[in-house]
Amino acid sequence: MYFAALLARTEDGWEASDTELDDVETLSDLAELAREASDDDTVIVYIEQEDAWFGIVRIEGEEDPRIYVSDGAAAARSSYGEILTREILGDDLDAELDELESLDLDGTEDGEPLADDAGHDDEPAGAAAEAVPSAPVGDVLVLADLGLSERELRALDSDALAVIADALGAAEVLEAVR
């Protein structure tokens, strides 16, 4: 289960809203959703999956989104997280997947017999999750100028949204929509 929230900075301060990700299939879709919340101001999109990982996407006007994911491998195993990790790792992830696919590993490399494809995974998403580190990935300074240092961001694990909103001075408006 996912939870997503938008924090948009306006002339009057931060505005918060929860958001549905049903129509989001790409980072462009997510950026468009965020830009609709605030024209040229800063928008922070927060996505989490049941305390397994969280991601932050910062969008400012027409600039490229800045992305941070708390656990790349966990995120790569989920639909929205894969969008973020693929954007962060881009060509590196695609190159690793191509290399893994070209090896044609079927479990018989060490002389073991092939057992009815048990455990054989033809899904690229499984290989993608293995190619992504089980560590934070992306822009660790994504919120540094807004009051959350790299060290504080890396230390977040559970209820990260509350800490982030507090650092931004948006805790009260977030609590109103939660």
Side-chain angles (χ1 to χ4, degrees):
M1 182 165 183
Y2 293 95
F3 172 76
L6 290 174
L7 296 170
R9 186 166 53 183
T10 67
E11 293 174 0
D12 301 324
W14 290 94
E15 292 181 5
S17 61
D18 60 348
T19 188
E20 292 295 322
L21 299 176
D22 295 341
D23 296 328
V24 172
E25 294 180 8
T26 65
L27 183 63
S28 296
D29 293 342
L30 186 61
E32 183 179 324
L33 181 71
R35 287 184 179 111
E36 289 172 4
S38 181
D39 295 330
D40 292 321
D41 293 319
T42 301
V43 179
I44 306 295
V45 179
Y46 176 89
I47 303 170
E48 81 174 21
Q49 183 182 17
E50 297 178 342
D51 294 327
W53 64 271
F54 70 89
I56 298 166
V57 180
R58 180 175 177 170
I59 295 141
E60 298 196 57
E62 294 301 316
E63 292 181 28
D64 288 340
R66 295 171 60 193
I67 305 166
Y68 172 83
V69 175
S70 65
D71 183 331
R77 289 188 291 269
S78 68
S79 57
Y80 299 117
E82 184 182 13
I83 292 169
L84 302 180
T85 56
R86 186 167 294 282
E87 186 66 29
I88 293 167
L89 300 174
D91 294 335
D92 294 340
L93 179 59
D94 290 337
E96 286 188 41
L97 288 174
D98 289 345
E99 185 177 324
L100 287 171
E101 289 173 6
S102 70
L103 292 176
D104 192 30
L105 301 174
D106 64 2
T108 62
E109 292 75 33
D110 294 327
E112 310 99 34
L114 186 60
D116 298 332
D117 272 339
H120 188 68
D121 186 7
D122 289 329
E123 295 298 317
E130 292 175 15
V132 178
S134 290
V137 293
D139 185 351
V140 296
L141 299 175
V142 68
L143 299 175
D145 64 321
L146 297 174
L148 196 67
S149 72
E150 171 185 353
R151 182 175 170 199
E152 292 167 316
L153 184 61
R154 287 181 184 264
L156 295 177
D157 51 11
S158 64
D159 204 21
L161 181 57
V163 175
I164 292 167
D166 189 46
L168 300 177
E172 289 181 21
V173 294
L174 177 65
E175 196 57 41
V177 299
R178 233 177 169 186

